[in-house]
């Protein structure tokens, strides 16, 4: 068996993809300001070596999956195929790999990448696989999670007489961490300018204990990075109760009150947490109503910022308000919030309003 080299001619230097990318894309000419280079090094898509340096830094993706099919977890051939598909579809360069069947059961696999390594170990009887993927270079790893889930979250095969509806879906826990050192090695790198190095990184991506962690959106507007995650933190909710709330189980408290068990949604701008579904009401109520109640007869309201629409929602609850003007720099944040954070701008329970607060006849948004 041994290590299996692949028939591919690797680039001359490992972790040089950022350098190659810069050579292809850079339009800076000699003598120009290097601010574009500083901006690039702080972009989360080029977070370590996009300036052409071979930085002592990388990204680490840790994945634990349970309730996986035992035959899949004990098949050296199927696991090796999944690893090869992972590296091929993610555009990583697999130099060699080895999968070893253990006695009496289980498989360990390791692959050497041009960018570093991928490895996993299985426990077939328990239905568990743990996987880690480490890369240097500027390519993002979080977007690979759907691919990893598709390749490795293989549902258990029902035995004879089993009801397929009783077979649980595989449960996946994962974490993403920035590794190594950037500050002091990458000229112009500022930790707080990299969303993956900010609150998004340590409060959500870096935690392996969330029952659910699902990216709903990750994009960049003309002004900022926007990330929205749906999570279940076991300190506040649990996955089993959420799944029960989605069922039609007669008499089950969870299915009768699903609104109490929904996952949390978290909005990040440039990696800094801005708002959460669980904290939406108390936060926005407290910043609007004290001032509104203090005023004898509030008719005109100005809201500076407030892209999610929740501050507007609270202001419109006052029937004395004739005009509420929201002034927001980033129109994309407003439109994205209306699509992904509809709860924030829900005015359906306000008499005389619209389902969407932004459509209320008293509301005006200026950009």
């Amino acid at each position: 068996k041994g290590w299996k080299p692949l028939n591919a001619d690797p680039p001359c230097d490992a972790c040089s993809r950022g350098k190659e990318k810069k050579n292809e894309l850079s339009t800076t000419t000699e003598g120009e300001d290097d601010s574009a280079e500083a901006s690039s090094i702080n972009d989360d898509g080029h977070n370590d070596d996009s300036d052409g340096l071979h930085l002592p830094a990388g990204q680490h993706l840790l994945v634990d999956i349970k309730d996986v099919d035992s035959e899949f977890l004990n098949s050296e051939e199927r696991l090796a195929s999944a690893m090869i598909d992972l590296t091929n579809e993610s555009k990583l360069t697999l130099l060699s790999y080895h999968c070893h069947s253990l006695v009496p059961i289980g498989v360990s696999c390791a692959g050497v990448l041009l960018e570093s390594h991928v490895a996993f170990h299985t426990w077939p009887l328990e239905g568990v696989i743990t996987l880690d993927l480490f890369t240097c270079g500027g390519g993002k790893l979080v977007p690979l999670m759907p691919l990893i889930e598709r390749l490795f979250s293989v549902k258990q095969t029902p035995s004879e007489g089993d009801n397929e509806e009783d077979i649980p879906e595989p449960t996946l826990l994962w974490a993403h961490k920035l590794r190594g050192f950037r500050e002091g090695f990458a000229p112009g790198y500022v930790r707080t300018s990299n969303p993956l190095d900010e609150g998004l990184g340590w409060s959500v991506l870096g935690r392996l204990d969330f029952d659910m962690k699902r990216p709903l959106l990750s994009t960049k507007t003309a002004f900022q990075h926007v990330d929205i995650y749906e999570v279940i933190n076991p300190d506040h909710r649990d996955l089993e109760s959420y799944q029960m709330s989605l069922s039609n189980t007669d008499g089950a408290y969870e299915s009768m009150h699903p609104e109490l068990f929904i996952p949390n949604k978290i909005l990040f701008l440039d990696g800094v947490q801005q708002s959460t579904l669980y904290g939406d009401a108390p936060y926005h109520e407290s910043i609007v109503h004290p001032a509104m109640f203090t005023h004898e007869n509030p008719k005109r309201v100005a809201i500076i910022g407030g892209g999610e629409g929740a501050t507007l929602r609270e202001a419109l609850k006052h029937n004395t308000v004739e005009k509420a003007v929201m002034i927001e720099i980033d129109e994309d944040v407003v439109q994205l919030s209306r699509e992904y954070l509809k709860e924030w701008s829900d005015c359906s329970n306000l008499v005389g309003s619209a389902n969407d607060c932004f459509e209320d006849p008293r509301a005006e948004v200026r950009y």
Side-chain angles (χ1 to χ4, degrees):
K1 296 181 180 180
W3 291 89
K4 298 174 173 59
L6 300 187
N7 295 325
D9 294 326
C12 56
D13 291 309
C15 296
S16 63
R17 293 198 303 165
K19 180 177 182 180
E20 295 162 359
K21 185 178 294 184
K22 183 190 175 188
N23 288 341
E24 295 171 2
L25 300 181
S26 175
T27 58
T28 304
T29 58
E30 185 176 355
E32 286 187 332
D33 194 315
D34 62 356
S35 59
E37 181 175 327
S39 175
S40 176
I41 195 64
N42 289 307
D43 189 292
D44 70 335
H46 309 280
N47 60 73
D48 45 22
D49 65 356
S50 63
D51 65 344
L53 297 174
H54 300 282
L55 299 180
Q59 301 174 74
H60 208 163
L61 198 59
L62 307 172
V63 184
D64 298 344
I65 315 174
K66 68 175 183 177
D67 296 323
V68 181
D69 182 69
S70 59
E71 292 185 4
F72 169 71
L73 295 180
N74 202 41
S75 172
E76 190 177 314
E77 181 178 355
R78 293 174 66 184
L79 289 165
S81 178
M83 180 170 60
I84 293 172
D85 289 343
L86 170 63
T87 55
N88 287 340
E89 294 186 40
S90 59
K91 308 302 181 185
L92 296 169
T93 306
L94 184 61
L95 302 178
S96 60
Y97 71 92
H98 178 63
C99 287
H100 184 79
S101 294
L102 305 176
V103 177
I105 195 169
V107 178
S108 283
C109 291
V112 177
L113 305 175
L114 177 68
E115 299 82 6
S116 191
H117 73 267
V118 57
F120 48 84
H121 183 83
T122 73
W123 291 263
L125 295 180
E126 292 79 7
V128 171
I129 180 172
T130 61
L131 178 149
D132 81 275
L133 172 62
F134 178 83
T135 67
C136 48
K140 299 179 183 179
L141 294 188
V142 173
L144 301 184
M145 283 307 306
L147 174 61
I148 292 174
E149 185 171 13
R150 173 168 61 83
L151 293 174
F152 293 94
S153 293
V154 178
K155 189 174 180 178
Q156 297 172 351
T157 303
S159 303
E160 185 176 351
D162 288 344
N163 188 341
E164 189 169 354
E165 294 181 354
D166 294 333
I167 304 298
E169 294 291 335
T171 298
L172 185 147
L173 307 178
W174 62 276
H176 173 277
K177 296 180 181 292
L178 292 181
R179 300 289 304 278
F181 303 92
R182 291 165 179 79
E183 290 183 297
F185 291 89
Y189 182 83
V190 180
R191 181 186 60 78
T192 55
S193 297
N194 183 348
L196 297 179
D197 232 351
E198 266 291 336
L200 172 61
W202 55 260
S203 69
V204 172
L205 297 184
R207 295 191 58 172
L208 192 58
D209 60 338
F210 280 9
D211 286 353
M212 174 192 289
K213 180 164 52 184
R214 182 165 56 199
L216 300 181
L217 173 72
S218 183
T219 188
K220 188 175 183 180
T221 72
F223 299 94
Q224 54 204 334
H225 290 265
V226 181
D227 291 277
I228 300 175
Y229 273 79
E230 190 173 49
V231 305
I232 294 180
N233 184 336
D235 294 338
H236 307 136
R237 302 286 194 277
D238 65 87
L239 182 61
E240 183 178 357
S241 297
Y242 171 59
Q243 292 172 337
M244 180 68 74
S245 75
L246 300 177
S247 70
N248 296 318
T249 305
D250 292 337
Y253 181 82
E254 292 86 352
S255 60
M256 294 172 63
H257 303 279
E259 71 280 1
L260 301 178
F261 302 95
I262 57 177
N264 197 10
K265 288 182 183 178
I266 309 177
L267 169 67
F268 294 90
L269 298 180
D270 285 337
V272 179
Q273 180 175 306
Q274 302 295 314
S275 189
T276 72
L277 180 59
Y278 291 172
D280 161 37
Y283 174 76
H284 290 99
E285 288 173 359
S286 66
I287 65 174
V288 171
H289 298 307
M292 296 292 284
F293 287 132
T294 300
H295 198 291
E296 294 183 357
N297 189 28
K299 294 183 178 181
R300 297 181 301 277
V301 179
I303 302 169
I304 311 301
E308 311 102 295
T311 303
L312 175 64
R313 179 195 69 214
E314 297 303 318
L316 293 174
K317 289 181 178 179
H318 293 260
N319 56 18
T320 60
V321 171
E322 299 173 354
K323 191 75 172 179
V325 179
M326 192 179 92
I327 304 167
E328 169 63 53
I329 189 174
D330 197 338
E331 182 175 2
D332 287 340
V333 167
V334 174
Q335 299 307 323
L336 293 170
S337 296
R338 295 178 71 175
E339 181 177 355
Y340 292 95
L341 304 174
K342 294 181 179 180
E343 301 90 339
W344 275 252
S345 58
D346 181 4
C347 280
S348 60
N349 62 344
L350 300 186
V351 176
S353 185
N355 289 337
D356 185 337
C357 298
F358 291 105
E359 301 298 329
D360 188 293
R362 299 170 290 169
E364 178 184 349
V365 183
R366 299 182 184 180
Y367 301 105

